Amino acid sequence: MIDQNVSNPLEPKFIARIVGGSLLAAIFVGMISALTVGEGIDINLSADVVATAQNILEAETQLRAKAYITLLTFGLSVVVGIGLYLLLRASGPLLAGWSLIVSLGAAMLVLMSAVFNLNAAEIAGDLAYSEMAVEKQRLLLAGLQATSEYTSFHLSLVLSSVSNAGFFYLFLRSGLIPKLIAGWGVFAFLFVATMIVGRDFIPALGHNYVTMAFMISNMIALFSAAFYLIIKGVRIL
């Protein structure tokens, strides 16, 4: 006999809560990583490549911890992308599928960040690198790993923002979540992607106030969507 109180894994509200929980977990994992193991070795938190590279050479264990935390973020990102696709494919199969592919591409770049951190840990801790290279060369290698992590992070942020804009447009069109949350999401994610790409060509867009504006708008969109999906799920139309 089937227990009617057990949630169906394919039920939209159940999937929505999984997506919301995974999204919220990914946000908090990223914040905890930045405030703990990322301190001093995360190039995304500092514009000083030399200082970051110097810190990397003294932080093997910290780098390994950061890599595995990033690996957790990768797993959560994949869950979110697949979950959003399952929720929204009926509202627009082509856009939902395209957004899923882009979100998985962003997740792969997150995975590459983990690889770069493990590479840096090897450079910092393996005595072979001290034998093969002088200190300045090791510093350069560490700097290259830090720079690679920086570029992979920013490209993943662009791709994830574009894919989220696609998903939230489908939320807006379908009415599965409040239009205010969905509409803000479309605006915020396109704002993030546009500003990150734009500042590579227009230096003024790299001002701290601009960065703060698009990051705050992004966090509002993510938190509001995550909490709504966890608490309410999606509307059954």
Side-chain angles (χ1 to χ4, degrees), residues 34 41 63 70 81 115 177:
I41 62 170
L63 286 160
T70 304
V115 172
I177 65 175

Side-chain angles (χ1 to χ4, degrees), residues 97-126:
W98 179 85
S99 297
L100 173 61
I101 292 170
V102 175
S103 72
L104 293 177
M108 289 303 298
L109 287 170
V110 172
L111 183 60
M112 288 303 300
S113 291
V115 172
F116 294 132
N117 277 286
L118 286 176
N119 286 347
E122 290 296 322
I123 293 168
D126 193 331

Side-chain angles (χ1 to χ4, degrees), residues 27 45 68 80 94 97 122 136 139 218 227:
I27 295 170
L45 303 176
Y68 290 116
V80 171
L94 183 60
E122 290 296 322
K136 284 187 176 181
L139 187 65
N218 185 60
F227 280 118

Side-chain angles (χ1 to χ4, degrees), residues 16-17 19-22 24 225-233:
R17 290 189 170 100
V19 170
S22 299
L24 197 60
F227 280 118
Y228 184 87
L229 291 172
I230 291 171
I231 297 169
K232 295 288 189 179

Side-chain angles (χ1 to χ4, degrees), residues 50-138:
V50 175
T52 302
Q54 290 171 337
N55 292 336
I56 282 174
L57 293 179
E58 304 296 329
E60 179 189 359
T61 302
Q62 195 177 342
L63 286 160
R64 294 189 187 281
K66 186 169 179 288
Y68 290 116
I69 291 174
T70 304
L71 193 61
L72 175 58
T73 303
F74 161 76
L76 292 168
S77 300
V78 171
V79 171
V80 171
I82 294 174
L84 288 173
Y85 169 75
L86 292 175
L87 288 173
L88 295 163
R89 58 183 173 177
S91 302
L94 183 60
L95 181 56
W98 179 85
S99 297
L100 173 61
I101 292 170
V102 175
S103 72
L104 293 177
M108 289 303 298
L109 287 170
V110 172
L111 183 60
M112 288 303 300
S113 291
V115 172
F116 294 132
N117 277 286
L118 286 176
N119 286 347
E122 290 296 322
I123 293 168
D126 193 331
L127 292 177
Y129 287 95
S130 297
E131 297 175 3
M132 291 188 295
V134 298
E135 191 65 16
K136 284 187 176 181
Q137 291 172 326
R138 289 179 68 234

